[in-house]
Amino acid sequence: MASMKSLAKDTAIYGLSSIVGRFLNYLLVPLYTNVIPAESGGYGVVTNLYAYTALILVVLTFGMETTFFRFANKEGENPHCVFSTSIALVGTLAALFVAAVALFITPIATTLGYTGHEDYIAMMACVVALDAVQAIPFSYLRYRKKAVKFASLKMLFIMLNIGLNLLYFLWLGKDDVFYIFALNLACTGVITFFFIPEFAHEHVAAREYCRQRGVPFRIVDTALLRRMLSYSWPILVLGIAGILNQTADKMLFPLVYPDTAEGQVLLGIYGACVKIAMIMAMITQAFRYAYEPIVFAKAKDGDKKEYYAAAMKYFVIFTLFAFLCVMGYMPLLQRILGLEYRVGLRVVPIVMAAEIMMGIYFNLSFWYKLIDKTIWGAWFSAAGCAVLVAVNIAFIPSYGYMACAWGGVAGYGTAMLLSYFIGQRKYPISYDIGGMARYVVITAAMYLAMDYIASYEPLHAMRWGTALQLLANTCMIAVYLAIVARTDVPLSSLPVIGKKFRKNK
């Protein structure tokens, strides 16, 4: 029981720090989209380069975060050597990457369309290298169950970044994206210094461990490294496919769109609007932090399949509710974007639909994890990524960022369907397809009604038109909740509320 309480506490800390961190980062969106003009294409540069850094980070960490956990907890392995070997590998890859970028920075900048802005490339290369190195000590903190320090460092970075951005862009009146990259590099560098105690502790502990066993101390255990690489490369492949599903459209857009300058402008608009849709990603992540430990804990229970099926249905119900809330209150949410960026808001419902599919795919993915066939995940993610890339390349020249939005639906939809149909053969689970489809239809009908109200000009010509629109949307959301309460989540089953409901009844 004590271990489960500890797990729940740590999960809450990790999850809260991640979700709150992402939410606070959203506070930078209204700042950037109000001080950086859309026609400058500056926010498009930010969107593009951060997409590349996300991919490079996966490559440089080489799956060592998961591998570190596996080998540090493996019987017969020296956890101190596992740490030093992991950090040495990732540090070497990071150093080689920075050196390669420094050596070829001019052709890299030319290829990406940033001639004259090599400083952007250099700063982001340093940022991603430091992030990769930090990934191992962050994993070390989790291994040592130092959840509070883990969360504190994550939050410190975010608060520093937000504070300095407010200082430079609001107080000092800067409007150059150079400062976005420079401040990110400064904050990342500061956080790196806080890991010096961990490096020093592990170095001393590793030397003492080797002295007690009469073996020579080595920073890198080559035999261990070979075993770790054998374990990590499939994780790397899966990670690359997964991150490409999230970032490929933002990397391809400037390369595929016929007019490079206009492409940066449109990418900036798309990148800003996608931030609103990422509310769904936050919900999915919160669900993952809460649900993933439970899935593996119930793996030995007799009713586990019924539990997984019910969890899937509740996930769909909740994410569709979130979809309706975002679309219903879009007249308010759109205000976080600068006026010039709001033209791209039509991508939001499409991107949110793609995120829901991604969440369903995550839920479906447990079948191959539970039977230790994770290679299926690599195949599904790779297939989805291939479809996404194909849609983007084929349709971006004609349809711009709308192709990016629909490419996400096509890519995640492909991975979702493949995982479902193959999973039903390998590890069948009786999902309530009819019940979930009913909620999808109800949500689609309500969204179309909201969209019609939003485009009804006579309503908006009225003095209280926006208020009436929000009232109508709120009523539809209330109807959705009433259907849920009547059909699948009775009020009497809810904590606190259910107690009062049963008492009054």
Side-chain angles (χ1 to χ4, degrees), residues 110-184:
T110 302
T111 301
L112 297 179
Y114 298 121
T115 303
H117 291 293
E118 287 80 3
D119 51 346
Y120 297 172
I121 308 296
M123 286 187 288
M124 292 313 295
C126 293
V127 167
V128 74
L130 289 174
D131 279 341
V133 172
Q134 287 180 15
I136 304 304
F138 267 123
S139 295
Y140 171 86
L141 291 178
R142 294 168 64 191
Y143 167 70
R144 293 288 300 275
K145 300 189 183 303
K146 295 184 177 182
V148 173
K149 183 171 183 177
F150 176 98
S152 298
L153 290 179
K154 291 287 187 181
M155 294 304 297
L156 176 61
F157 170 82
I158 292 163
M159 300 310 295
L160 277 175
N161 196 33
I162 291 175
L164 289 175
N165 272 273
L166 292 174
L167 172 65
Y168 273 77
F169 287 100
L170 287 186
W171 185 260
L172 299 178
K174 305 295 184 181
D175 62 357
D176 192 335
V177 297
F178 168 87
Y179 294 98
I180 296 177
F181 302 131
L183 295 176
N184 193 341

Side-chain angles (χ1 to χ4, degrees), residues 77-293:
E77 300 289 359
N78 176 357
H80 308 296
C81 289
V82 172
F83 177 82
S84 62
T85 300
S86 300
I87 201 71
L89 172 65
V90 174
T92 301
L93 290 175
L96 291 173
F97 169 72
V98 171
V101 169
L103 187 61
F104 299 104
I105 192 164
T106 299
I108 291 172
T110 302
T111 301
L112 297 179
Y114 298 121
T115 303
H117 291 293
E118 287 80 3
D119 51 346
Y120 297 172
I121 308 296
M123 286 187 288
M124 292 313 295
C126 293
V127 167
V128 74
L130 289 174
D131 279 341
V133 172
Q134 287 180 15
I136 304 304
F138 267 123
S139 295
Y140 171 86
L141 291 178
R142 294 168 64 191
Y143 167 70
R144 293 288 300 275
K145 300 189 183 303
K146 295 184 177 182
V148 173
K149 183 171 183 177
F150 176 98
S152 298
L153 290 179
K154 291 287 187 181
M155 294 304 297
L156 176 61
F157 170 82
I158 292 163
M159 300 310 295
L160 277 175
N161 196 33
I162 291 175
L164 289 175
N165 272 273
L166 292 174
L167 172 65
Y168 273 77
F169 287 100
L170 287 186
W171 185 260
L172 299 178
K174 305 295 184 181
D175 62 357
D176 192 335
V177 297
F178 168 87
Y179 294 98
I180 296 177
F181 302 131
L183 295 176
N184 193 341
L185 177 58
C187 295
T188 304
V190 168
I191 297 302
T192 305
F193 283 104
F194 284 90
F195 287 116
I196 291 176
E198 274 67 36
F199 288 123
H201 175 272
E202 278 303 301
H203 183 75
V204 173
R207 282 186 173 276
E208 180 62 20
Y209 183 93
C210 293
R211 186 189 66 79
Q212 291 177 358
R213 284 157 181 77
V215 297
F217 168 73
R218 297 185 182 91
I219 294 177
V220 179
D221 184 327
T222 53
L224 172 64
L225 178 60
R226 284 194 294 269
R227 295 195 299 274
M228 293 176 72
L229 289 175
S230 176
Y231 182 87
S232 68
W233 76 261
I235 299 173
L236 171 65
V237 173
L238 183 57
I240 291 174
I243 201 66
L244 279 175
N245 276 318
Q246 300 175 38
T247 61
D249 54 347
K250 302 169 187 69
M251 291 187 288
L252 288 170
F253 198 95
L255 303 175
V256 177
Y257 196 77
D259 187 322
T260 303
E262 184 184 2
Q264 289 290 7
V265 174
L266 294 176
L267 181 59
I269 293 171
Y270 175 67
C273 292
V274 162
K275 291 292 186 181
I276 296 179
M278 287 300 102
I279 292 173
M280 191 63 71
M282 291 172 58
I283 293 170
T284 301
Q285 186 176 43
F287 184 84
R288 176 178 179 176
Y289 274 110
Y291 184 49
E292 195 166 30

Side-chain angles (χ1 to χ4, degrees), residues 333-454:
L333 289 172
Q334 68 179 357
R335 296 177 185 274
I336 72 172
L337 302 179
L339 193 60
E340 296 174 322
Y341 291 83
R342 297 177 194 175
V343 67
L345 286 172
R346 54 187 176 153
V347 305
V348 173
I350 305 170
V351 175
M352 289 191 75
E355 288 294 326
I356 292 173
M357 291 181 180
M358 188 276 285
I360 294 173
Y361 171 53
F362 166 76
N363 278 272
L364 292 169
S365 70
F366 284 110
W367 71 261
Y368 56 74
K369 294 178 182 178
L370 290 169
I371 63 173
D372 295 328
K373 297 291 184 181
T374 53
I375 189 64
W376 282 108
W379 285 115
F380 299 150
S381 296
C385 182
V387 171
L388 182 147
V389 169
V391 170
N392 276 268
I393 292 175
F395 296 107
I396 282 177
S398 301
Y399 298 100
Y401 50 66
M402 294 303 294
C404 298
W406 284 110
V409 171
Y412 285 130
T414 298
M416 176 186 72
L417 292 174
L418 285 173
S419 186
Y420 173 74
F421 286 113
I422 294 178
Q424 289 301 95
R425 294 211 317 262
K426 302 286 185 178
Y427 192 85
I429 296 175
S430 299
Y431 295 109
D432 184 6
I433 301 298
M436 290 186 286
R438 181 176 64 252
Y439 283 108
V440 171
V441 172
I442 292 170
T443 302
M446 289 182 174
Y447 165 68
L448 291 175
M450 291 177 179
D451 189 56
Y452 175 78
I453 294 171

